[in-house]
């Protein structure tokens, strides 16, 4: 027995000795081998790699230099034992942060440098976010067979992906996303099937419309479990496979992102078998139904599912909850792991079911724009993990449940644009983590919130209460809020503060946005209101009088956006505004301002300037000033004089120039057409411009409104009108969807807002007559133009309005004018046109206004088709040789009965209706098209995109309460049934 024991203990001792030796060896390696510096050849390779880039001196790459150990360089990692370089991580994802002078962190004119080949042991390469100037992926990357991680996302590479990459059989993570210009090899994706270790594949933004076998190929990859194929032009057919590889892929897949594709109808049946799913993103497709139901197919058996995104499938009818309300729940303890459910922009048309309150781990619930209605169930108060709740833009009724007071983790609560009627202090009183509260645009009959509501909201930064006519805030004048707001949006909350600035703003030192439009404010700006960081101030549509610009400038020196339109402000000096060094957006329209505009105001920061409808005079400055980055300039209805503002000569991104109703004179310079190539609206109406219309204007291919009416222009109409590219494109009247198909949904959403917002503000600011200017049209009326109507005009198939009246035009009306299919208004009156009225006009089924009077037209007025309804004789008056209905003159060889007297009242009514119709259509289409031009260019220009959306965000809350409804309503009007 003791022998056995000693034998055993000697084994133990032996093991201990071995252990010690191992430990020593290990320590040895720690002390000595890690010190292995990088290998000379590899350092040289890295230096060569470095030299292939240009970069900012502050970039970490700048510190890579010869004297130092490359293993310690930032972004480089080595094997601790061998000293070989194994990691290069030069990811750069902050280029969008400062987009003003967006400099890409690393920039290379050549493709990825082959010096990497020297790094035989490299297994991790991340170059994402750098700029390779549209060069190709080099095929040598395919021989870097040690790579397990390769990230080339967002690197501005283009061309075809070399099939050599198929040799990377150890690759586990491969990300090629966000390279818009990258192509698969004419649809050949076979090489991907060799990446046998692949677990993650990201191909977002690559066009696979020719690779019908894409999913088949991917299903050979037996390790693949995460797949991002967003925006890849995929269609349903890609997913109707029946191989066993495919089903085992589906049962294995954990992350599947198919957003922004062209998938439609029901979701593929096979998707019900995705039992390992963690994250599913099907947003921005055209799905109409979830095969098997959302709950049964995805939630019930996937207790580990964390995130579902079905947003922006605008016809998706997700009857997800009601059907399963009483069904047994199979997850242990009802513990669903679902944390994010995004159904924004769907068409649920249901009430919110109580059932939803059982998803206890929910952190973010988004039901915005999903056509839900009815009361908000109190059960939502059980979602104790909830941090973000989006219920805005629906038709919810009743009161905000007091159970919301239990959502202690809530950070953002959006309830805006519903029909909620009740709200009480209990709803918010305990929400100590709340950062954003948006209850704007509701009914709230006689609801009163007191300071008690806000007593514990010490983290509140954004308070949005605009457009609540019946809501009142009853705060003690001495109340000191526990929060420091960054944004307060209270537009049109008439009862919120009375006609004064609320005294509690006095201690709000962190304000960035203060939007108090349309609140009947008549008091002066108090001296205590001096938020130093304020960037946006909106006091438009109030009753502010006197001069207040100096005070604003002194108290809010960091303003970027200033909206003061529609007040009674009468400053006569704008020069104090020159001290606002960051000013980007300035709207002073509709006030009583006067004086001249100093050049110092016109800085490259300025993005939007509206001085319309004031009494400004003098020449618009051109010696000083630099408006290189202005996008919209409105000077209409003032007394400006002098030549076309030469300060605009280099405003290459200007899209709107409205000088209507001033005294500008002289020629329309050729640089307008040569330089302002982004113009969409050129409105010079009602000035004193003379000379000829420069033919360079025809270079403005994006133009949609050319309004030169009421000037003193002479000479011919330039013939190359067909260059107006936008005008030649035919649009459907519901142009909205036409444009949205090519954009991402978020943008559409914004554009939609923008459209309605502008309709709204147009209604406030513009007369009916002026509204008509917002369409796709050419108006050259009331000038001294001569010559004939260029036959190219018929190429303008997108034109809604053409007005050439009150000129001296001769010749005939182009016979093919009927080709301008969407034409709604044609006025050629008061010219010297001769010949017949073309019969093709009868093809124009949309033509609502046709005025041909006071010419020398002859022959019979065509009465076919649509034209038979034209009964207004005066529109054909004073054409001595014209005959037939509706004129009293009968044609000689016509043997019909006496012309009958028309019921004039009836006709008037008809016309009236038509006018309204026309205006609606024109506004919408005009704005959509105009706006789209803006957004379209923004897509291409990231920096501007950023800038623009900042603008949208800032003005975002200024949108009318009935946006969604009104767009639906207007669509209803505009789309012929
Ligand atoms: C690739 O890099 C980008 C950042 O540029 C990052 O967002 C993405 O998650 C990375 N991909 C993978 C799979 O790590
Ligand atoms: C890699 O792939 C390409 C094309 O698929 C092939 O021609 C080449 O021989 C392969 N091997 C290496 C080491 O590049
Ligand atoms: C245009 O008007 C300016 C003054 O506004 C005048 O000097 C010039 O001669 C006019 N040109 C023509 C062609 O009439």
């Amino acid at each position: 027995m003791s022998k056995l024991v000693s034998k055993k203990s000697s084994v133990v001792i032996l093991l201990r000795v071995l252990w010690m030796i191992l430990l020593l060896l290990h320590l040895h390696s720690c002390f000595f081998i890690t010190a292995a510096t990088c290998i000379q050849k590899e350092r040289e390779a890295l230096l060569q790699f470095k030299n292939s880039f240009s970069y900012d001196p502050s970039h970490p790459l700048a510190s890579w230099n010869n004297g130092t150990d490359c293993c310690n360089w930032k972004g480089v990692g080595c094997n601790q034992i061998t000293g070989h370089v194994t990691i290069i991580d030069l990811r750069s994802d902050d280029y969008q942060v400062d987009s003003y002078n967006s400099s890409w962190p690393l920039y290379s004119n050549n493709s990825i440098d082959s010096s990497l080949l020297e790094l035989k042991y490299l297994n991790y390469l991340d170059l994402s976010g750098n700029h390779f100037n549209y060069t190709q992926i080099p095929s040598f990357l395919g021989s870097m067979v040690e790579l397990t991680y390769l990230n080339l996302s967002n690197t501005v590479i283009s061309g075809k992906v070399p099939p050599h990459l198929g040799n990377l059989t150890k690759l586990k993570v491969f990300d090629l996303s966000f390279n818009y210009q990258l192509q698969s090899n004419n649809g050949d994706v076979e090489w991907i099937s060799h990446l046998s270790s692949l677990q993650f594949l990201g191909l977002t933004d690559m066009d696979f419309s020719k690779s019908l076998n894409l999913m088949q190929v991917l299903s050979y990859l037996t390790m693949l479990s995460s797949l991002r194929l967003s925006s890849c032009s995929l269609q349903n057919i890609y997913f109707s496979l029946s191989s066993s590889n495919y089903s085992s892929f589906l049962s294995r897949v954990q992350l599947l992102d198919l957003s922004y594709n062209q998938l439609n109808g029901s979701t593929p049946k096979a998707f019900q078998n995705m039992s390992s799913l963690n994250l599913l993103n099907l947003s921005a497709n055209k799905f109409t139904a979830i095969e098997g139901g959302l709950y049964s197919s995805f939630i019930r058996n996937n207790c580990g599912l964390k995130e579902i995104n079905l947003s922006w499938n605008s016809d998706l009818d997700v009857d997800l909850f009601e059907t399963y309300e009483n069904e047994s729940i199979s997850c242990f303890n009802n513990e669903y792991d679902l944390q994010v459910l995004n159904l924004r922009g769907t068409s649920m048309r249901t009430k919110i079911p109580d059932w939803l309150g059982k998803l206890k781990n929910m952190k973010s619930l988004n039901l915005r724009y999903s056509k839900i209605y009815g009361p908000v169930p109190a059960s939502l108060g059980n979602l104790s993990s909830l941090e973000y709740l989006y219920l805005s833009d629906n038709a919810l009724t009743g009161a905000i449940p007091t159970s919301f007071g239990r959502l202690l983790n809530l950070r953002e609560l959006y309830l805006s644009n519903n029909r909620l009627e009740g709200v009480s202090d209990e709803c918010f009183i305990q929400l100590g983590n709340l950062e954003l509260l948006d209850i704007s645009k509701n009914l709230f009959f006689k609801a009163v919130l007191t300071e008690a509501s806000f007593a514990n909201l010490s983290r509140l930064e954004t308070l949005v209460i605009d457009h609540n006519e019946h809501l009142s805030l009853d705060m003690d004048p001495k109340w000191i809020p526990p929060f420091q707001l960054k944004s307060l949006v209270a537009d049109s909350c008439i009862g919120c503060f009375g006609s004064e600035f609320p005294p509690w703003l006095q201690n709000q030192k962190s304000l960035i946005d203060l939007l108090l439009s349309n609140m009947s404010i008549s008091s002066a700006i108090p001296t205590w209101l001096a938020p130093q960081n304020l960037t946006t101030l909106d006091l438009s549509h109030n009753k502010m009088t006197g001069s207040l610009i100096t005070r604003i400038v002194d108290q809010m020196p960091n303003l970027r956006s200033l909206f003061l339109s529609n007040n009674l402000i009468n400053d006569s000096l704008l020069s104090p505004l020159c001290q606002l060094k960051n000013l980007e957006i300035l709207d002073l329209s509709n006030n009583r301002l006067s004086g001249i505009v100093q050049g110092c105001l016109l800085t490259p920061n300025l993005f939007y300037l509206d001085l319309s409808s004031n009494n400004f005079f003098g020449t618009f400055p051109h010696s000083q000033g630099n408006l290189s980055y202005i996008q919209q300039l409105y000077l209409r209805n003032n007394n400006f004089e002098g030549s076309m503002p030469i300060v605009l000569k280099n405003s290459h991104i200007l899209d709107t120039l409205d000088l209507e109703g001033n005294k500008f004179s002289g020629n329309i310079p050729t640089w307008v057409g040569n330089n302002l190539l982004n113009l969409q609206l050129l409105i010079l109406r009602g000035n004193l411009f003379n000379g000829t219309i420069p033919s360079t204007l025809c270079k403005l291919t994006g133009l949609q409104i050319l309004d030169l009416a009421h000037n003193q222009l002479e000479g011919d109409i330039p013939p190359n009108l067909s260059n107006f590219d936008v005008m030649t494109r035919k649009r459907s009247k519901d142009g909205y969807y036409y444009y949205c198909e090519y954009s991402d949904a978020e943008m559409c959403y914004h554009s939609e807002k923008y459209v309605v917002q502008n309709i709204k503000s147009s209604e406030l600011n513009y007369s009916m007559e002026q509204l008509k200017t917002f369409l796709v049209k050419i108006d050259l009326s009331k000038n001294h133009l001569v010559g004939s109507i260029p036959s190219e005009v018929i190429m303008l198939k997108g034109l809604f309005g053409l007005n050439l009246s009150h000129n001296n035009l001769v010749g005939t009306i182009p016979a093919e004018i009927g080709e301008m299919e969407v034409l709604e208004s044609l006025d050629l009156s008061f010219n010297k046109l001769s010949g017949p009225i073309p019969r093709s006009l009868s093809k124009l089924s949309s033509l609502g206004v046709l005025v041909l009077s006071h010419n020398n037209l002859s022959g019979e007025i065509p009465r076919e088709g649509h034209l038979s309804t034209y009964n207004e004789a005066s529109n054909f008056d004073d054409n001595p040789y014209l005959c037939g209905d509706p004129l009293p003159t009968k044609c000689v060889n016509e043997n019909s009965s006496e012309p009958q007297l028309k019921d004039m009242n009836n006709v008037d009514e008809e016309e009236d209706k038509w006018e309204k119709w026309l205006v609606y259509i024109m506004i919408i289409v005009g704005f959509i098209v105009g706006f789209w031009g803006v957004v379209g260019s923004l897509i291409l220009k990231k920096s501007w995109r950023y800038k623009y959306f900042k603008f949208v965000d800032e003005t975002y809350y200024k949108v009318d309460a009935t946006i969604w409804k009104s767009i639906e309503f207007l669509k209803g009007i505009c789309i012929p049934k």
Side-chain angles (χ1 to χ4, degrees), residues 152-169:
L152 297 178
S153 81
N154 191 20
T155 46
V156 201
I157 42 180
S158 68
K160 292 174 179 162
V161 182
H164 305 72
L165 296 188
N167 294 334
L168 300 175
T169 49

Side-chain angles (χ1 to χ4, degrees), residues 148-206:
T148 57
Y149 181 100
L150 179 57
N151 194 341
L152 297 178
S153 81
N154 191 20
T155 46
V156 201
I157 42 180
S158 68
K160 292 174 179 162
V161 182
H164 305 72
L165 296 188
N167 294 334
L168 300 175
T169 49
K170 293 188 182 168
L171 204 57
K172 291 182 181 158
V173 176
F174 187 25
D175 200 342
L176 268 183
S177 304
F178 306 112
N179 292 301
Y180 305 81
Q181 312 268 340
L182 208 58
Q183 300 152 14
S184 60
N185 308 295
N186 291 327
D188 181 11
V189 288
E190 197 268 342
W191 61 273
I192 300 181
S193 65
H194 302 297
L195 301 170
S196 52
S197 305
L198 212 56
Q199 297 167 4
F200 174 99
L201 181 60
L203 297 173
T204 293
D205 276 336
M206 261 175 87

